[in-house]
Amino acid sequence: EAEVDAEQVAQFRRLAFSLAKEAVDATNGTMIVEWLEEIVKVLHPSAQGHKADLVEAWFSPQGDCPQRIRTLLSQAKRTVDICVFTITDDRLTSAVLEAHSRGVRVRIITDNEKATDIGSDVDRFLKAGIEVRVDHTAYHMHHKFALFDGELLLNGSYNWTRGAAANNEENFVITNNSRLVAIFSKVFEELWHQFKP
């Protein structure tokens, strides 16, 4: 019931995931995820059963996947956490930059090799003041998921590229399932900490 602003909510959320990361082990993972779900419900009351379940499946090149992602970015009010192997589609990049310019906190995790590819938009994000982290391993950070306001998850094979939109057989699912959102949020926070410069 306390009156808190979006930044305070984001701080509480980060603290909750930090505590969960410190406490989780092989024996209590389910309990920790359930605890995180309760924290998310407290921080975002609209996530408690008042909304209908959302489950969407999108496929390329048949569907307009970039437009659906642009819509999610335009509707974000507080946070967008993007964990995608490669980002080169300028339509999506412009929507990310627009969200950032509206005051949405955007964080991006991407692969270190793809970040320096021709066409990569990572430099544009950095110049705009968006926080970006990359892995520093010989292997790939190959995830393709994003979280919107800690309430919606986008996950699938879809890289944020024009090739994925126009040519490749790709997919992603969008859901507001709180358990999945909590699990992917935890993974994002772990990677964000792991890839700290």
Side-chain angles (χ1 to χ4, degrees), residues 133-180:
R133 295 199 178 165
V134 298
D135 68 316
H136 300 286
T137 71
Y139 306 102
H140 289 303
M141 195 305 299
H142 209 242
H143 290 299
K144 293 108 178 171
F145 71 87
L147 296 148
F148 303 88
D149 290 329
E151 296 176 1
L152 289 178
L153 165 69
L154 179 152
N155 180 53
S157 67
Y158 191 88
N159 275 306
W160 292 18
T161 66
R162 285 197 177 257
N167 304 311
N168 299 348
E169 295 291 338
E170 304 278 3
N171 72 83
F172 60 79
V173 171
I174 301 167
T175 183
N176 64 354
N177 179 280
S178 60
R179 184 176 293 255
L180 283 174

Side-chain angles (χ1 to χ4, degrees), residues 59-67 89 91-92 158-168 170:
F59 299 89
S60 68
Q62 302 86 356
D64 193 349
C65 294
Q67 185 53 49
D89 189 333
R91 296 168 297 182
L92 299 179
Y158 191 88
N159 275 306
W160 292 18
T161 66
R162 285 197 177 257
N167 304 311
N168 299 348
E170 304 278 3

Side-chain angles (χ1 to χ4, degrees), residues 19-142:
L19 291 169
K21 183 180 178 217
E22 291 173 12
V24 73
D25 61 33
T27 64
N28 67 2
T30 300
M31 181 184 70
I32 295 294
V33 168
E34 289 171 355
W35 177 79
L36 281 172
E37 286 178 342
E38 293 304 314
I39 295 295
V40 168
K41 288 178 185 177
V42 169
L43 295 177
H44 304 289
S46 62
Q48 300 181 44
H50 301 299
K51 289 185 178 178
D53 290 342
L54 172 69
V55 179
E56 297 176 11
W58 288 77
F59 299 89
S60 68
Q62 302 86 356
D64 193 349
C65 294
Q67 185 53 49
R68 184 61 180 117
I69 297 172
R70 285 179 57 83
T71 298
L72 290 170
L73 288 162
S74 71
Q75 293 172 342
K77 294 177 177 63
R78 298 176 305 277
T79 61
V80 174
D81 291 330
I82 300 167
C83 187
V84 176
F85 179 56
T86 183
I87 304 173
T88 61
D89 189 333
D90 290 342
R91 296 168 297 182
L92 299 179
T93 296
S94 66
V96 169
L97 293 169
E98 288 166 14
H100 173 69
S101 70
R102 288 196 323 272
V104 174
R105 183 182 186 207
V106 178
R107 297 185 295 171
I108 298 172
I109 298 173
T110 191
D111 185 71
N112 61 334
E113 291 179 25
K114 299 315 259 180
T116 57
D117 272 0
I118 294 174
S120 171
D121 290 323
V122 167
D123 280 343
R124 289 178 66 190
F125 298 135
L126 290 169
K127 286 177 183 171
I130 293 174
E131 300 172 90
V132 178
R133 295 199 178 165
V134 298
D135 68 316
H136 300 286
T137 71
Y139 306 102
H140 289 303
M141 195 305 299
H142 209 242

